[in-house]
Amino acid sequence: MLSQQHIDTVKATIPLLASAGPAITEHFYQRMFAHNPELKHVFNMTHQRTGGQPAALFNAIAAYATHIDNLEVLTGAVMRIAHKHTSFNIQPDQYDIVGHHLIETLRELAPDAFTQDVEEAWVAAYGQLADIFIKVEGDLYAERAAQQGGWKDFRRFRVASKTPESDLVTSFVFEPVDGGAVIGYQPGQYLGVKLHPKGNEFDEIRQYSLSTTPNGKHYRISVKREGAGDIKGVMSNYLHDHLNVGDEIEAMPPAGDFVFKDKQTPVVLISGGVGLTPMQAILDTLAKQQYSHPVSYLHACAHQGQHSFKEHVNSLKGQLNLSVHTWYEQADNEEEGVLNGMMQLEAIKDSLPLTDGEFYLCGPVGFMMFVKQQLLTLGVEADRIHYELFGPHQEV
């Protein structure tokens, strides 16, 4: 039971956490993987090598310590993390392992400051946090399993089709091996996909946005090939080079809290690069519903060869009140409707619903920060700007 004394003690350790920084979580992961290497089958080791996951965990721990006496502030973050955890099939017993190594990390890095009172407070604080996640994630698992086409744990799927969409992006359609129905999803959500690439020591689990409207029969994801030899491209290159029609993967039910919210207002979909994948699901869903409000589709990519779904998006103009704006960093020639360089909203501001539209962003972090600042400058309220980040979460 978390007492007021525990809360006061945890908050008093915030300066200690701040002074140590991400070194705490780097040490934690090194320790945990040394003692429990089986968790390398679960955690994305690419994010460990790039430093993204340790930084994200440190920020989460610091936020929890700061708001431990007002956890409602963290509701959104808890739901975002819980959705991600369910795509990895995280189970309650794994929280015990994480908790043990977190406490031992604090003890090893700050032996003088980590008194018995501090340890007792952090054990209680972590126990409260673990209970919150176990409850939220348990509810998500149960809810999905109870729905038509739902399931628990990983389920086997077969590749039904493999379709190149551009120079770098390929779509994969997965149908269940058992021949049953599949659970629906909200446009914007992702699919947790597990594979064991040949030559890899551990399983790889990644989350890929579902790139079309749900149909109850199969799922489609669209994957960008990362640079050959790039540590971030282990899974994407395997999918592009080795996963073919008839091959099998495992998947968890769709998850994610970046979803289209139908407020019956104008909608603006803004994407950079492969960030257009969740936008396809939103756009297809709006077309299926014959959405009556204006829809703006803004996309930026390197050049024409990397422009995925171009023809498909244009084909929806007959079903929606749809305007399309495109930016190429490297324009090969003069093309109608294509702007050169970075996405500059000033050029099209008069066509955007700045006062009442809902704006959805997805793409590289730098791109989203760049676009969000433009939207704020143009007068769009922050609560009307929604975004999805591929990888460990951070603020945009």
Side-chain angles (χ1 to χ4, degrees):
M1 180 69 180
L2 192 66
S3 68
Q4 186 60 50
Q5 183 176 348
H6 291 150
I7 291 173
D8 293 341
T9 301
V10 167
K11 290 179 77 69
T13 63
I14 291 176
L16 176 64
L17 294 176
S19 65
I24 290 177
T25 44
E26 290 172 4
H27 182 91
F28 157 77
Y29 278 118
Q30 291 172 2
R31 188 184 205 286
M32 183 174 69
F33 291 137
H35 288 81
N36 295 91
E38 72 277 6
L39 292 181
K40 292 183 179 181
H41 288 291
V42 178
F43 284 82
N44 184 333
M45 300 309 296
T46 293
H47 291 157
Q48 300 299 321
R49 292 189 290 270
T50 61
Q53 189 60 57
L57 178 60
F58 171 77
N59 290 335
I61 291 173
Y64 176 58
T66 301
H67 301 289
I68 192 170
D69 52 353
N70 183 23
L71 295 181
E72 288 186 5
V73 174
L74 302 177
T75 299
V78 168
M79 291 305 301
R80 184 180 305 113
I81 295 169
H83 273 275
K84 185 63 69 73
H85 283 180
T86 60
S87 71
F88 285 99
N89 198 26
I90 299 297
Q91 295 299 310
D93 62 311
Q94 292 169 323
Y95 279 95
D96 293 336
I97 297 173
V98 169
H100 168 72
H101 291 295
L102 178 61
I103 296 303
E104 292 305 311
T105 292
L106 294 173
R107 189 197 315 280
E108 290 166 3
L109 292 187
D112 295 334
F114 202 66
T115 63
Q116 183 174 346
D117 288 345
V118 172
E119 177 177 353
E120 181 182 304
W122 270 99
V123 167
Y126 176 81
Q128 172 182 264
L129 184 62
D131 287 346
I132 291 172
F133 276 112
I134 290 170
K135 172 63 167 61
V136 172
E137 290 160 18
D139 289 345
L140 289 173
Y141 287 132
E143 176 186 339
R144 294 166 190 163
Q147 293 181 38
Q148 174 67 27
W151 71 93
K152 289 182 64 177
D153 304 320
F154 282 96
R155 183 180 179 184
R156 296 202 69 80
F157 285 77
R158 182 181 296 111
V159 180
S161 69
K162 180 178 180 180
T163 306
E165 306 290 358
S166 66
D167 291 352
L168 295 180
V169 174
T170 294
S171 290
F172 299 83
V173 172
F174 300 131
E175 59 184 16
V177 171
D178 60 25
V182 297
I183 189 175
Y185 56 89
Q186 298 182 70
Q189 290 192 303
Y190 50 76
L191 194 68
V193 175
K194 181 168 77 169
L195 278 170
H196 193 110
K198 185 177 181 179
N200 266 39
E201 184 178 1
F202 300 101
D203 294 337
E204 298 283 354
I205 303 174
R206 298 291 188 275
Q207 294 73 33
Y208 295 109
S209 296
L210 291 147
S211 60
T212 189
T213 190
N215 58 27
K217 299 177 181 179
H218 49 67
Y219 297 122
R220 187 182 77 176
I221 63 172
S222 302
V223 181
K224 176 190 174 186
R225 179 199 290 274
E226 300 293 346
D230 190 329
I231 61 173
K232 295 185 291 184
V234 172
M235 187 73 148
S236 70
N237 279 280
Y238 184 84
L239 290 171
H240 278 255
D241 294 337
H242 302 291
L243 191 71
N244 296 308
V245 172
D247 292 341
E248 296 183 6
I249 57 100
E250 294 181 89
M252 291 296 292
D257 68 334
F258 174 77
V259 298
F260 173 68
K261 301 175 178 65
D262 188 352
K263 298 185 178 181
Q264 288 298 304
T265 59
V267 174
V268 183
L269 307 178
I270 306 177
S271 58
V274 76
L276 53 60
T277 52
M279 304 310 180
Q280 301 310 304
I282 297 174
L283 199 58
D284 286 355
T285 299
L286 294 176
K288 184 178 180 180
Q289 296 175 353
Q290 296 184 314
Y291 197 72
S292 61
H293 298 275
V295 178
S296 300
Y297 180 86
L298 284 55
H299 179 62
C301 59
H303 51 76
Q304 184 176 356
Q306 293 185 15
H307 190 171
S308 304
F309 301 108
K310 176 183 175 181
E311 291 77 15
H312 175 68
V313 170
N314 286 327
S315 74
L316 299 178
K317 290 180 178 178
Q319 303 174 51
L320 290 167
N321 179 5
L322 176 64
S323 60
V324 177
H325 302 275
T326 306
W327 285 259
Y328 291 160
E329 289 183 43
Q330 308 154 23
D332 297 328
N333 48 50
E334 293 294 328
E335 184 176 346
E336 185 178 356
V338 176
L339 300 171
N340 293 335
M342 304 293 287
M343 182 180 287
Q344 298 287 350
L345 301 183
E346 179 72 24
I348 62 167
K349 66 178 182 179
D350 292 340
S351 68
L352 296 177
L354 300 175
T355 58
D356 61 346
E358 295 291 320
F359 293 76
Y360 294 84
L361 279 59
C362 190
V365 175
F367 167 82
M368 291 194 293
M369 293 176 67
F370 177 64
V371 172
K372 181 180 179 181
Q373 185 55 56
Q374 292 184 64
L375 291 173
L376 294 173
T377 300
L378 290 172
V380 179
E381 292 90 347
D383 62 1
R384 289 192 286 118
I385 304 174
H386 319 283
Y387 67 93
E388 172 73 321
L389 181 71
F390 297 151
H393 186 76
Q394 64 186 84
E395 294 302 322
V396 169

